[in-house]
Amino acid sequence: MARVIAFVNQKGGVGKTTNTVNLAAIAGQALGSRAGESQILVVSTDPQASAVWWSDRVDEGQLPFDFHQCDDKPDDLARLKLLDQYEYVFVDTPGNIEDEKILSATLDSTDEVVVPLPPEAMAFNPAKRTIEKVLEPKGIPFRILITDWDPRDGTVDLEQTQAYVDSNGWPRLQSVVRHYKIHTRAAAEGQVCTQYPKGRIALEAREDFFRLAMELGIGGRPLPRQTRKRTPVEGKI
Ligand SMILES: Nc1ncnc2c1ncn2[C@@H]1O[C@H](COP(=O)(O)OP(=O)(O)OP(=O)(O)O)[C@@H](O)[C@H]1O
Ligand SMILES: [Mg+2]
């Protein structure tokens, strides 16, 4: 069974697509894949998906994940977990909850939701609504991801946002995705973080998604049990 992680926040422009595709790219790289045999699937349920954009590049084999646009077939979404050929399915959702059927079907087959939250007060209420009206009633495990934080602005906004999340008792990911121009530019060019040109900035920008992937427990598969050998460690066993 695939592990399904959805990025949900009814506010537009908070980083759902950016985080979905970049996390998927890191996961795709970590798990490795031969052409046309990716273990990662990105699904977009956003009818105005900027992510549709990425699909051309998937077709050309330029991205380390498969891509599927699904904004009008709730039955397909209900089957996401059953896609055995994939280890992980990352779902990018729209910045509104107009189509409740689609969101509901997505959430019914989701193991965990990540709620991207930029460190700005304007984003607090929409996040609260999403959590209280959509996620909590369904009992879906979720975590907040503070994202698009610009370290040049100092830590006040970040700390206030962390305090806001904690005061609501919401689980929060330790990883913070920083704001980098390279992410904004890459999105416009249909590039993901594993394709950034070599350089310090690219490395730093990518690091946030590596950290996020580790925290979410995404990565290489363990060796099959039978091939593991236990070596006794002197004095310890
Ligand atoms: N960490 C980041 N660094 C720089 N730019 C970012 C970052 N995260 C998001 N952006 C930019 O912010 C804009 C909004 O991000 P994105 O499209 O991922 O949000 P969204 O939640 O998917 O929006 P929508 O609800 O409209 O689909 C984009 O231009 C994107 O490139
Ligand atoms: Mg989006």
Side-chain angles (χ1 to χ4, degrees), residues 11-18 46 50 92-95 147-148 177-181 183-184 187:
K11 183 169 163 52
V14 294
K16 294 178 292 291
T17 304
T18 305
D46 185 355
S50 48
D92 181 24
T93 65
T147 182
D148 207 18
V177 175
R178 291 167 290 184
H179 174 88
Y180 280 101
K181 262 272 152 57
H183 292 321
T184 327

Side-chain angles (χ1 to χ4, degrees), residues 75-103:
D75 292 351
D76 281 5
L77 292 167
R79 285 196 294 271
L80 286 182
K81 279 198 73 55
L82 307 176
L83 297 173
D84 274 336
Q85 66 272 44
Y86 296 108
E87 286 272 322
Y88 295 97
V89 179
F90 298 101
V91 189
D92 181 24
T93 65
N96 57 61
I97 43 168
E98 276 163 26
D99 196 334
E100 284 182 29
K101 262 199 194 139
I102 287 287
L103 183 64

